[in-house]
Amino acid sequence: MTDETENENPITRPLRLPCGAELKNRLAKSAMSDSLGNGEGDSTPTQARLYERWAQGGAAVSIVGEVQFDPHRAEKPGNLVLGPGCDRAALHSLVTCGTANGTHLWPQIGNAGALAYPPISAPRGPSALELDGLQCAALTIDEIRALPSRFAETARLARDIGFTGVQVHAAHGFLLSQFLSPLFNQRSDEYGGPIEARGRLLFEVIDAVRAAVGPDFPVAIKLNSSDQLEGGLTEEEALAVVDLLDECPIDLIDISGGTYFPGAKAASDAAGGGPYFLAFTERARRHTTKPLMTTGGFKRNKQVIEAVAGATTDMVGLARALVIDPSLPQRWLYSPSADPDFPRFASSPPGGVTAWYTMRLTALGEDREDRYDPDVASILETYEERDRRRCTAWIARFGTAV
């Protein structure tokens, strides 16, 4: 081995996926609910500009979070809806901007299920639940059996529009994650019971998506390492899913964790503020030959380099770090310098920190982050008022959820 190779920054190396596609380096802009749809399920110039900035900033792949195929099971009224009647011209603009500089752009295809946003949705999950802060009806067996084709149709549409891959969302307590979790999934038919049965829908979705997009189109999955909830998906069960995924036609397993279940702990609560899921990724490495990506808690260049150099993970997903500095990959790849300076919130109302980061995405997409208001309380008010306005537009476009 030459000195040049020994001194090479490991995160600059490209990653070839099993389907044959190549990611130009080891840094990904992981999926976030950017809330930059127009309130009617379509993309906007602000969203396109945001993804252009991440592409120019050096990320190998950007993943568009919370892209829905069913407007009646959406996470928020700022989500994109990819289906009949979508604004293809706006999506083409998003793809053109987001794939600049050799960057891949993948929509994260999902369904919020039991966690669908009640003002615009009718929450439906694997089983009926009546809990404080969470109520939902159960999907019928026919509705479940129809889901793989819905995912597949959406993936095919994404490919036809020009997206360069897709990610299937099976994490963070949304629908496919709910099927994996015994807390949400109490079914007694072929989709409930042992983890192999609770994973049946996920595996059917993967097979249908692969059949729809062909063999050379990247198909990734986002998977929880655990739900971090009593009675939820455990790490041992998640490893059993990884075992089964090794036989599936996928290209990348993106490991994360936690849920948006009311009262659930944040991932940082259990990880001491560092990368949250590396220990699980190291265990998962022994259960699969698929490339692995780890998302959550990476804040320092040294953390990223050590994780990739040690082969603990093949890719690192960055989220809030790229909200602070959308050009961070370029700096870390070629001229490592100061790490991002994360804001410190002495106090915040519930939901305030999430609102702060979400509204900063809007500021980035409008090239006005230098004038971004740092006051969390006022930003939360603006964020919530925007969602209220969008709910009206969403219902006018898609009708009342049933």
Side-chain angles (χ1 to χ4, degrees), residues 22-362:
E22 185 173 275
L23 303 179
K24 65 182 182 179
N25 61 55
R26 303 304 180 95
L27 298 177
K29 196 292 292 181
S30 62
M32 291 179 277
S33 181
D34 61 51
S35 207
L36 283 174
N38 65 355
E40 299 179 6
D42 291 319
S43 187
T44 61
T46 300
Q47 187 177 45
R49 173 57 180 151
L50 174 65
Y51 281 85
E52 182 177 48
R53 292 192 65 178
W54 279 324
Q56 293 169 338
V61 56
S62 290
I63 304 172
V64 185
E66 309 299 346
V67 176
Q68 310 295 325
F69 56 81
D70 185 346
H72 295 153
R73 312 284 181 263
E75 177 258 352
K76 275 296 188 104
N79 293 165
L80 298 187
V81 178
L82 199 56
C86 63
D87 186 340
R88 290 201 177 208
L91 288 167
H92 280 300
S93 178
L94 172 62
V95 167
T96 298
C97 291
T99 56
N101 196 27
T103 305
H104 278 256
L105 186 67
W106 301 348
Q108 182 192 62
I109 302 172
N111 179 308
L115 296 182
Y117 191 56
I120 59 170
S121 303
R124 297 172 73 85
S127 304
L129 295 174
E130 188 69 34
L131 303 171
D132 185 23
L134 179 62
Q135 297 82 40
C136 75
L139 291 162
T140 68
I141 190 68
D142 288 340
E143 288 172 326
I144 294 171
R145 289 172 177 164
L147 285 167
S149 65
R150 299 290 303 278
F151 276 88
E153 291 163 3
T154 308
R156 184 186 295 112
L157 177 58
R159 182 201 63 188
D160 293 347
I161 286 171
F163 288 98
T164 62
V166 295
Q167 184 183 78
V168 175
H169 195 2
H172 297 163
F174 296 117
L175 184 65
L176 294 178
S177 177
Q178 291 162 22
F179 270 87
L180 294 173
S181 172
L183 184 64
F184 285 93
N185 184 351
Q186 299 159 16
R187 300 184 71 92
S188 57
D189 58 18
E190 65 264 39
Y191 292 97
I195 187 60
E196 294 80 5
R198 301 200 310 271
R200 184 186 304 274
L201 177 60
L202 172 60
F203 307 134
E204 290 175 347
V205 165
I206 291 169
D207 287 342
V209 167
R210 175 55 74 195
V213 300
D216 56 356
F217 190 77
V219 177
I221 177 174
K222 190 160 195 172
L223 180 71
N224 265 8
S225 57
S226 79
D227 290 345
Q228 298 182 338
L229 289 169
E230 185 176 351
L233 182 78
T234 66
E235 287 198 0
E236 294 306 319
E237 290 177 319
L239 288 171
V241 175
V242 172
D243 268 323
L244 295 166
L245 287 172
D246 197 51
E247 303 300 319
C248 293
I250 59 172
D251 296 291
L252 184 67
I253 303 173
D254 179 6
I255 293 170
S256 189
T259 77
Y260 295 105
F261 190 90
K265 294 187 298 184
S268 55
D269 292 341
Y276 306 145
F277 308 112
L278 276 178
F280 179 87
T281 305
E282 190 169 10
R283 297 181 70 192
R285 176 72 76 190
R286 300 192 290 271
H287 290 259
T288 184
T289 59
K290 304 292 184 183
L292 298 175
M293 172 171 153
T294 311
T295 297
F298 287 93
K299 299 179 180 180
R300 304 286 176 256
N301 190 16
K302 181 181 178 182
Q303 296 168 337
V304 174
I305 290 174
E306 289 178 349
V308 175
T312 302
T313 193
D314 298 295
M315 293 284 295
V316 167
L318 301 173
R320 289 183 173 181
L322 296 189
V323 183
I324 302 301
D325 181 359
S327 297
L328 187 64
Q330 196 75 20
R331 296 202 292 119
W332 278 1
L333 286 163
Y334 303 115
S335 56
S337 54
D339 292 321
D341 185 13
F342 286 84
R344 299 177 184 272
F345 303 102
S347 63
S348 172
V353 173
T354 295
W356 189 93
Y357 278 96
T358 304
M359 295 304 292
R360 183 172 167 85
L361 292 175
T362 301

Side-chain angles (χ1 to χ4, degrees), residues 9 39 41 79 182 218 228 336 338 358 368 373 402:
N9 183 344
N79 293 165
Q228 298 182 338
T358 304
R368 58 172 180 82
D373 184 352
V402 294

